[in-house]
Amino acid sequence: MRVAVTGGTGFVGSHLVPLLLEGGHELRVVGRGARSATLPAGLSPTFGDVVSGDGLEAAFEGAEVVVNLIAVIRNQGVQTFDSVNAKGTQNLVRAAQAAGVRRVVHLSAIGADPDPMFPYLFSKWQGEQWIQGSGLEWVILRSSVIFGERDGFFSLLAKAISMPAPFLVIPGDGTATFQPIAAEDVARCLLMAVEETDRTGHIYEVGGPDQMTLEEITVAVAEALGKDWFGIAKRRPLHLDPRMIRPAALVMDKLMRNPLVTPQQLDMLAKANVTARDAVKSQFGFEPKPLRPNLGYLRRPKPWPLRLLDQGTARMRPPVSP
Ligand SMILES: NC(=O)c1ccc[n+]([C@@H]2O[C@H](COP(=O)([O-])OP(=O)(O)OC[C@H]3O[C@@H](n4cnc5c(N)ncnc54)[C@H](OP(=O)(O)O)[C@@H]3O)[C@@H](O)[C@H]2O)c1
């Protein structure tokens, strides 16, 4: 099939694009072109911006299916929840209609909801409304938090854990729940949504096999990094009321390119991010991967000065007597 993947240069896109190519589909990857580095050799992005609508109709010309992976998780300049996730989806739908696209597969988030208390989830819900009202064949997947090479959430957590600090700050009591799902598994579900027409008109919630608290996820990431978590009392979790972290989150949101946490993300910890444990198996017929044994991608080689230091201390160690 001829498939246009909007947001195909992002994290989930980098896992879906190779799968679509393996499936023999003819691809056009659409975006603003800022991150073409994630694309397989020979594929380059076609310009299309959902905020202005520029380039979209031309980019969709000849496509039978559009897979939409575009979203922002924070407001930054003209890229806002409203302009990208909500109105951006409206622009995308209009362009797809004008270009004669038959089917649209849209990636949304668990918790997408008309409650404006949670602006990200509200904007994802608004986006879904445009898809459902498009008059095109549609399928919506709502995912829990996604892990894998190039992810945002788990890589940032790994960075936070790796910082030299006596404690690891966990917002709230750590009981907020998630159901982490592997990016390859989300991509497999999206591929089925593209290819299997009897899925038209369905909203599928997807999550991995384990429902985990924020604290359990933090421990899993720390263990994957080989950090001393419970040993020698070095890295203890410190639970802080989200209201205390909020000022720091506000500053990070304003000043940092990739803030560790934003105020909206702190608010969302109040909402469980889970679905049925067997959601993928029962709806897509395969077992999704668990988080813990699949976090190896977070381990980065140590910088060379530290590697040299390790070699030096190994040489200085006395031989072990039998
Ligand atoms: N990651 C998760 O844990 C998670 C969990 C649940 C749901 N989701 C959903 O999954 C989808 C994909 O997420 P992701 O993590 O892969 O996001 P991502 O890595 O941030 O990728 C977003 C993509 O959108 C494109 N984009 C951003 N603004 C655009 C604009 N104005 N016009 C055209 N393209 C634009 C970006 O490309 P350019 O910058 O080059 O334009 C990029 O390719 C999103 O809908 C998200 O809500 C993700």
Coordinates of all heavy atoms in Angstrom, one line a residue, residues 47-57:
F47 N 8.2 17.6 3.2 CA 7.8 18.6 4.1 C 6.2 18.7 4.3 O 5.5 18.6 3.3 CB 8.3 20.0 3.6 CG 7.8 21.1 4.5 CD1 8.4 21.4 5.7 CD2 6.7 21.9 4.1 CE1 7.9 22.4 6.5 CE2 6.2 22.9 5.0 CZ 6.8 23.1 6.2
G48 N 5.8 18.8 5.5 CA 4.4 19.0 5.9 C 4.4 19.5 7.3 O 5.0 18.9 8.2
D49 N 3.7 20.6 7.5 CA 3.6 21.2 8.9 C 2.1 21.2 9.3 O 1.3 21.9 8.7 CB 4.2 22.6 8.9 CG 4.2 23.2 10.3 OD1 3.5 22.7 11.2 OD2 5.0 24.1 10.5
V50 N 1.8 20.5 10.4 CA 0.3 20.5 10.8 C -0.1 21.8 11.4 O -1.3 22.0 11.5 CB 0.0 19.3 11.7 CG1 0.1 18.0 11.0 CG2 0.8 19.3 13.0
V51 N 0.8 22.6 11.9 CA 0.4 23.9 12.5 C -0.1 24.9 11.5 O -1.2 25.4 11.6 CB 1.5 24.5 13.4 CG1 1.2 25.9 13.8 CG2 1.9 23.6 14.5
S52 N 0.7 25.0 10.4 CA 0.3 25.9 9.3 C -0.6 25.2 8.3 O -1.4 25.8 7.6 CB 1.5 26.5 8.7 OG 2.3 25.5 8.1
G53 N -0.4 23.9 8.2 CA -1.1 23.1 7.2 C -0.3 23.0 5.9 O -0.6 22.3 5.0
D54 N 0.8 23.8 5.9 CA 1.6 23.9 4.6 C 2.2 22.5 4.2 O 2.7 21.8 5.1 CB 2.8 24.9 4.8 CG 2.3 26.3 4.9 OD1 1.2 26.6 4.7 OD2 3.2 27.1 5.4
G55 N 2.1 22.2 3.0 CA 2.7 21.0 2.4 C 2.0 19.7 2.6 O 2.3 18.7 2.0
L56 N 0.9 19.7 3.5 CA 0.3 18.4 3.8 C -0.4 17.8 2.6 O -0.2 16.6 2.3 CB -0.7 18.6 5.0 CG -0.1 18.9 6.3 CD1 -1.2 19.1 7.4 CD2 0.8 17.8 6.8
E57 N -1.2 18.6 1.9 CA -2.0 18.0 0.9 C -1.1 17.4 -0.2 O -1.3 16.3 -0.7 CB -3.0 19.0 0.3 CG -4.0 18.4 -0.7 CD -4.9 19.4 -1.3 OE1 -5.2 20.5 -0.7 OE2 -5.3 19.2 -2.5

